[in-house]
Amino acid sequence: MAHAAPVAHRRPRGPTAQAHHLDRGALSRALLLGLVYGIYAAFMKRQMGPVDAGNVFYGILCGALFAAVMFTLARVGPRMMREARAAAYGSFGGIAVGYLYSLTGDSILRSSWVGFITGVGVGVVAFYRYYTHET
């Protein structure tokens, strides 16, 4: 009597396997860095006062927005040109650091300058990475 041969389950290869792997890694990185960003933003907003519900909500909101933008950049970034991708990451990094610096109470010009310098640095490093690791 003939029986059907068992089917070997192969792991998918190609773009779908890489996209699934990217989703999990991108999501975990975005959530972890969003958590750190939110805690730091809440700490800076508190200004050594008591912790209240407003500070906690503010930290959750900042962390969620940071994670959402970072995850979106990780998903959309591979489809962008390397120059635009580096500029997007540079802008995101500069805005994020500049905003955190503005929570210290320093002037808006100083916060803008710190954000600009950080953004340029992140953009240059991102461009170098994407230029040397081209697929």
Side-chain angles (χ1 to χ4, degrees):
M1 181 177 266
H3 293 281
V7 178
H9 295 286
R10 293 183 3 189
R11 293 179 58 154
R13 296 176 189 220
T16 57
Q18 291 173 352
H20 179 68
H21 179 67
L22 174 70
D23 288 348
R24 192 179 325 175
L27 183 61
S28 62
R29 275 190 306 274
L31 289 176
L32 180 65
L33 289 176
L35 176 70
V36 171
Y37 189 86
I39 290 171
Y40 193 74
F43 176 76
M44 295 301 292
K45 182 76 171 169
R46 188 170 64 102
Q47 298 284 332
M48 300 306 291
V51 176
D52 59 357
N55 290 336
V56 173
F57 178 72
Y58 185 77
I60 291 170
L61 180 67
C62 286
L65 286 174
F66 183 91
V69 172
M70 188 169 177
F71 181 70
T72 303
L73 276 176
R75 291 279 299 170
V76 175
R79 290 178 266 174
M80 298 168 68
M81 294 183 327
R82 64 179 171 235
E83 294 88 1
R85 188 176 180 189
Y89 273 103
S91 299
F92 174 60
I95 291 168
V97 170
Y99 180 70
L100 282 181
Y101 193 81
S102 74
L103 293 176
T104 63
D106 230 347
S107 73
I108 191 71
L109 291 176
R110 177 97 178 195
S111 301
S112 299
W113 180 248
V114 168
F116 178 74
I117 295 299
T118 303
V120 168
V122 169
V124 166
V125 170
F127 179 75
Y128 176 76
R129 186 205 183 275
Y130 299 137
Y131 188 76
T132 58
H133 293 88
E134 205 170 65
T135 56

